[in-house]
Amino acid sequence: MAHTTKGSLVSDKKESVLEGFKAFLTRGNVIDLAVAVVIGAAFTNVVNSLVKGVINPVVGAFGTKDLNHYSSCLKAPCETNAAGDAVSGIPILWGSVLSATLSFLITAAVVYFLMVLPMAKYLARRARQQAVKEQVEEVLEVSELEVLKEIRDALVAQRRGPEKSGTGTP
């Protein structure tokens, strides 16, 4: 409701913004999103540990070093200090990029095969069941409509019958 003073219009607008924000926060989608983010972060830690603890050492067993330590030098000579920082040259750390890519692919595969694919199958099955249910309801409605039309026609015929024949018997 608009008021004549400028201050009251601002306070009405603030209340509606706050009410909208409160409605947004109390919707279930925000809670679901927060849970998904927390679980996703925890799952990412598990996948990163798997890559660092299992995949990188396996690659290291076939190669000469851990996957994260594979690199090339763009401008020679590449030298690093004890902390692993480049002192001279320009190192390209393609091993860590490959490790991050593997982490991403494993995460994406697990999410797809354990969450997306089963949910898609469930939703498709539910949609088919709903479609069948709607078809059954439509058939029932049509047959009910047909029965009502037949009753109507029979009543109309009963009313007209005695008048046309003149005998008074239906």
Side-chain angles (χ1 to χ4, degrees):
M1 179 153 98
H3 298 285
T4 56
T5 62
K6 186 175 181 180
S8 61
L9 281 175
V10 171
S11 66
D12 286 348
K13 189 173 186 178
K14 283 183 183 177
E15 288 177 17
S16 64
V17 169
L18 290 176
E19 288 175 9
F21 184 66
K22 180 182 173 186
F24 170 74
L25 288 179
T26 56
R27 260 190 281 171
N29 296 346
V30 174
I31 306 292
D32 293 342
L33 181 61
V35 169
V37 167
V38 170
I39 289 176
F43 182 70
T44 300
N45 287 336
V46 169
V47 170
N48 287 339
S49 296
L50 174 72
V51 169
K52 287 179 186 175
V54 176
I55 293 176
N56 287 353
V58 168
V59 170
F62 291 110
T64 57
K65 50 191 162 188
D66 191 17
L67 184 61
N68 282 330
H69 294 102
Y70 281 96
S71 64
S72 298
C73 191
L74 187 62
K75 185 175 180 181
C78 284
E79 295 177 11
T80 58
N81 59 14
D85 298 327
V87 176
S88 66
I90 301 172
I92 306 291
L93 306 174
W94 58 269
S96 59
V97 172
L98 184 60
S99 177
T101 302
L102 286 173
S103 293
F104 171 76
L105 290 175
I106 291 170
T107 303
V110 169
V111 166
Y112 179 76
F113 289 111
L114 293 182
M115 295 177 195
V116 173
L117 190 62
M119 183 58 82
K121 287 182 179 181
Y122 168 74
L123 291 176
R125 186 174 14 138
R126 189 171 169 199
R128 282 192 306 269
Q129 289 173 346
Q130 184 67 24
V132 168
K133 183 179 178 183
E134 288 175 3
Q135 287 175 349
V136 168
E137 288 176 358
E138 185 177 312
V139 167
L140 289 175
E141 287 176 8
V142 168
S143 59
E144 185 177 296
L145 184 62
E146 292 298 322
V147 169
L148 290 173
K149 284 180 181 179
E150 289 176 11
I151 292 171
R152 179 201 62 199
D153 293 344
L155 289 172
V156 167
Q158 260 185 346
R159 287 184 186 167
R160 289 185 184 163
E163 294 173 2
K164 286 184 180 178
S165 63
T167 59
T169 57

